[in-house]
C-alpha cells in the first residue's frame, strides 16, 4: 500500500509546512532521518524570512495578488471570487507556457496542477505585508467581499491587499507579457516590501545590496555578498555553515551504519559498505579543513537563540545537536566514535520508531547506498533566484515599463 499524506483545513503556516514536507521527501539536501529539521528551519527562517523551497521566482509575489484583485472586479460573492481567482492562476500557467518561461509552477502538470502558486507563496505574502497578516488563503476571498468599515482617514482603513501594490495590465493574466521578469517598478516595490518587513535579515541585506549573488556558489556562506553582512545575520550565517557541516557528517555516518547493518543482515557485496565509507572519508577531509570553524562555534548560544524562536525544539533534539558537535570536534574518526554511533542509532529509532531501518527488515531491504549526501544550503537556491530576479528588474530602465 502506498504511503499517503492528508490534512484537514488548517492555518496557512500548517499547510505550508506540510507542502514543504512533501517536497522535501524528494530532496536529498533536506532528508531528515535524524530529526534535526527544526534546527535547520530556524536558521533558514532567520536568514531568509518568508522564503520556501517551493518558490520559483520573485514575480509570483505580484502575480498571485493580481489573480485575486482582477477577479474581484467582476464579483462580490466570496465563493465565486475564490473559484475565479483559482481559475485565473490556472490561466496564468498557460500564459507562462505561451511566453516560453522556464521553471514555473505547473510547468509539468499544466492547469491540472494540484498546488497553485498562491499555496506556495501565501506565507511570503503575509510576511512581507503584501497581504494582511491576518488573511488566511482559505478565507481571503471572504475578507475581500466583506464591506470594509468607513474611515475618515483612508490611510487607517483596513486592507486585505497592500494598497500600494503595482497594478497589473488590463486583461491579466492573458495580457501579461513579462512572465516572471520583473519591471523596474515591480522590483523596486518588492525590494521595499522586503526591507521594511525584515530589515535586519540576510534577505534584506541581499536585496538592498548593489552587488548580486554569484550563481556559482551553492551555499550562502560562500557568496561574496553574504560575506559582507555583519551583526545578527552574520552570526546566523556562521551558524548555517557549521550546522550544515555537522548535519552532513551525522547523516553520512547514519548511512554508513545502515550499510554495515544491511551487510550483516543480508550479506551483500562488500562495496555496499565501501561506498558509504568513501562518503564519510570525504566528509572527514572537510572536517579537518574546518577545525577552526568547529572549535570556535558557540553551540549553547546557537541553541539558546534557536529555542527562543521555536519553542517546539525539545531537549532531546538539543542534546543530540550537542553530541554531534562534540563528535565533530573530536580527533577520533567518526566511525570509530562508538558513543556517537550509538547516539545516531538511538536517535533514528526514536524518530522513526517501527520504521527504523535498524529494526524494520522491510525498510532495511529497500534501502540503497547513496552516491552522495548533499549538505544543507538553507533554501539558498530559491533565495538566490528571488534576489537575482529583483536585481535584474532594478537594472532595467524605469522608462521601459511604460
Amino acid at each position: 500500500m502506498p504511503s499517503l499524506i492528508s490534512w484537514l483545513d488548517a492555518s496557512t503556516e500548517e499547510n505550508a509546512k506540510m507542502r514543504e514536507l512533501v517536497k522535501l521527501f524528494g530532496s536529498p539536501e533536506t532528508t531528515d532521518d535524524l530529526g534535526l529539521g527544526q534546527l535547520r528551519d530556524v536558521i533558514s527562517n532567520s536568514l531568509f524570512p518568508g522564503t520556501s523551497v517551493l518558490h520559483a521566482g520573485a514575480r509570483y509575489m505580484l502575480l498571485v495578488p493580481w489573480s485575486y484583485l482582477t477577479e474581484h472586479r467582476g464579483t462580490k460573492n466570496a465563493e465565486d471570487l475564490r473559484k475565479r481567482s483559482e481559475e485565473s492562476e490556472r490561466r496564468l500557467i498557460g500564459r507562462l507556457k505561451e511566453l516560453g518561461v522556464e521553471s514555473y509552477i505547473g510547468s509539468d502538470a499544466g492547469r491540472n496542477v494540484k498546488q497553485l502558486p498562491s499555496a506556495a507563496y501565501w506565507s511570503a505574502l503575509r510576511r512581507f505585508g503584501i497581504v494582511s497578516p491576518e488573511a488566511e488563503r482559505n478565507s481571503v476571498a471572504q475578507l475581500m467581499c466583506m464591506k470594509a468599515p468607513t474611515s475618515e482617514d483612508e490611510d487607517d482603513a483596513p486592507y486585505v491587499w497592500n494598497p500600494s501594490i503595482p497594478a497589473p495590465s488590463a486583461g491579466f493574466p492573458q495580457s501579461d507579457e513579462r512572465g516572471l521578469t520583473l519591471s523596474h517598478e515591480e522590483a523596486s516595490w518588492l525590494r521595499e516590501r522586503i526591507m521594511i518587513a525584515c530589515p535586519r535579515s540576510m534577505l534584506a541585506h541581499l536585496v538592498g545590496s548593489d552587488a548580486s549573488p554569484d550563481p556559482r556558489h551553492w551555499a550562502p556562506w560562500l557568496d561574496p555578498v553574504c560575506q559582507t553582512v555583519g551583526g545578527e545575520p552574520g552570526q546566523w550565517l556562521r551558524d548555517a555553515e557549521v550546522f550544515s557541516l555537522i548535519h552532513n557528517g551525522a547523516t553520512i555516518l547514519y548511512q554508513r551504519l545502515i550499510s554495515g547493518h544491511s551487510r550483516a543482515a543480508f550479506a551483500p557485496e562488500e562495496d555496499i559498505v565501501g561506498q558509504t565509507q568513501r562518503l564519510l572519508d570525504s566528509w572527514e577531509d572537510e572536517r579537518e579543513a574546518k577545525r577552526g570553524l568547529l572549535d570556535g562555534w558557540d553551540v549553547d548560544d546557537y541553541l539558546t537563540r534557536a529555542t527562543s524562536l521555536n519553542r517546539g525544539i525539545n531537549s532531546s533534539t538539543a542534546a543530540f545537536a550537542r553530541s554531534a558537535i562534540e563528535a565533530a570536534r573530536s580527533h577520533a574518526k567518526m566511525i570509530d566514535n562508538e558513543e556517537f554511533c550509538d547516539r545516531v542509532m538511538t536517535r533514528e529509532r526514536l524518530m522513526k520508531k517501527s520504521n527504523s531501518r535498524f529494526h524494520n527488515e522491510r525498510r532495511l531491504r529497500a534501502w540503497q547506498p547513496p552516491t552522495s549526501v548533499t549538505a544543507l544550503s538553507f533554501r539558498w537556491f530559491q533565495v538566490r533566484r528571488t534576489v537575482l530576479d529583483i536585481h535584474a528588474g532594478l537594472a532595467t530602465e524605469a522608462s521601459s515599463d511604460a
Side-chain angles (χ1 to χ4, degrees):
M1 180 180 293
S3 298
L4 298 175
I5 291 180
S6 62
W7 59 94
L8 300 176
D9 193 19
S11 71
T12 298
E13 285 76 11
E14 289 168 338
N15 279 330
K17 288 178 182 177
M18 188 58 70
R19 291 186 181 94
E20 287 213 28
L21 177 61
V22 172
K23 180 166 183 175
L24 292 179
F25 281 149
S27 174
E29 174 188 337
T30 46
T31 300
D32 193 24
D33 292 301
L34 301 178
L36 295 174
Q38 289 177 317
L39 293 174
R40 172 200 66 215
D41 292 344
V42 164
I43 296 175
S44 298
N45 293 335
S46 297
L47 285 171
F48 311 120
T51 63
S52 165
V53 297
L54 304 174
H55 287 180
R59 199 165 187 251
Y60 274 113
M61 289 185 278
L62 294 169
L63 298 175
V64 170
W66 290 343
S67 292
Y68 283 89
L69 292 168
T70 54
E71 294 303 325
H72 191 212
R73 298 167 187 163
T75 182
K76 300 299 181 183
N77 179 276
E79 181 60 18
D80 187 37
L81 174 57
R82 183 189 66 79
K83 292 178 180 179
R84 291 172 63 142
S85 60
E86 287 187 2
E87 177 60 25
S88 178
E89 290 190 71
R90 296 187 191 280
R91 293 201 309 272
L92 174 64
I93 292 171
R95 182 56 180 157
L96 293 176
K97 182 178 180 179
E98 291 174 0
L99 293 171
V101 176
E102 297 180 359
S103 301
Y104 58 91
I105 296 174
S107 57
D108 294 326
R111 64 174 289 108
N112 295 321
V113 66
K114 295 185 181 299
Q115 179 179 270
L116 291 170
S118 55
Y121 278 84
W122 204 261
S123 292
L125 297 175
R126 299 207 315 177
R127 182 66 179 83
F128 301 144
I130 297 172
V131 71
S132 169
E134 287 74 36
E136 294 282 358
R137 177 171 173 261
N138 57 16
S139 62
V140 67
Q142 183 176 1
L143 289 175
M144 292 175 68
C145 292
M146 290 172 60
K147 184 177 180 180
T150 59
S151 173
E152 293 182 3
D153 187 348
E154 187 174 328
D155 291 337
D156 291 336
Y159 67 88
V160 178
W161 296 100
N162 192 301
S164 67
I165 189 170
S169 58
F172 175 87
Q174 200 56 41
S175 62
D176 189 80
E177 298 292 336
R178 288 190 168 274
L180 296 181
T181 302
L182 290 165
S183 70
H184 183 92
E185 178 196 6
E186 294 165 357
S188 297
W189 189 83
L190 284 176
R191 178 179 62 175
E192 181 182 31
R193 292 310 320 148
I194 291 172
M195 295 184 71
I196 289 174
C198 43
R200 291 176 295 278
S201 68
M202 180 66 80
L203 182 61
H205 172 75
L206 288 167
V207 298
S209 174
D210 292 333
S212 297
D214 190 332
R216 295 174 297 178
H217 298 304
W218 67 270
W221 52 86
L222 299 174
D223 187 81
V225 182
C226 291
Q227 291 172 357
T228 63
V229 78
E232 188 175 340
Q235 180 61 65
W236 286 115
L237 186 65
R238 290 187 291 275
D239 295 330
E241 183 175 5
V242 183
F243 187 81
S244 179
L245 176 66
I246 295 167
H247 180 277
N248 194 230
T251 303
I252 294 172
L253 176 62
Y254 165 67
Q255 296 292 339
R256 169 63 180 81
L257 294 172
I258 288 293
S259 69
H261 193 60
S262 179
R263 183 178 64 182
F266 308 124
E269 297 180 0
E270 176 74 18
D271 193 59
I272 195 172
V273 171
Q275 188 167 325
T276 53
Q277 183 59 48
R278 285 190 289 273
L279 294 176
L280 193 55
D281 290 341
S282 178
W283 179 85
E284 294 282 5
D285 292 339
E286 184 181 6
R287 172 172 71 153
E288 288 305 313
K290 293 187 174 181
R291 280 283 177 189
L293 185 67
L294 283 167
D295 293 340
W297 192 48
D298 189 339
V299 64
D300 291 324
D301 175 67
Y302 160 68
L303 289 173
T304 297
R305 285 180 283 115
T307 53
S308 70
L309 293 172
N310 184 351
R311 299 294 183 181
I313 299 172
N314 58 40
S315 58
S316 65
T317 299
F320 183 74
R322 286 193 177 90
S323 68
I325 185 65
E326 289 171 3
R329 285 173 174 166
S330 169
H331 289 277
K333 293 281 188 181
M334 192 73 85
I335 192 62
D336 296 330
N337 190 328
E338 294 183 5
E339 180 179 356
F340 187 60
C341 288
D342 288 341
R343 284 181 178 270
V344 168
M345 290 186 287
T346 299
R347 180 69 180 173
E348 194 260 10
R349 293 186 189 107
L350 175 66
M351 300 309 301
K352 297 189 175 181
K353 298 180 173 59
S354 63
N355 285 322
S356 167
R357 292 189 176 104
F358 293 111
H359 288 312
N360 189 317
E361 182 176 318
R362 179 182 59 83
R363 292 270 294 153
L364 180 62
R365 192 178 292 277
W367 174 85
Q368 294 293 324
T371 57
S372 63
V373 177
T374 308
L376 299 176
S377 62
F378 307 94
R379 309 173 190 158
W380 178 238
F381 177 81
Q382 292 80 16
V383 170
R384 185 178 61 197
R385 174 170 180 175
T386 295
V387 175
L388 289 174
D389 283 354
I390 292 174
H391 281 202
L394 292 171
T396 62
E397 290 294 333
S399 60
S400 68
D401 298 344

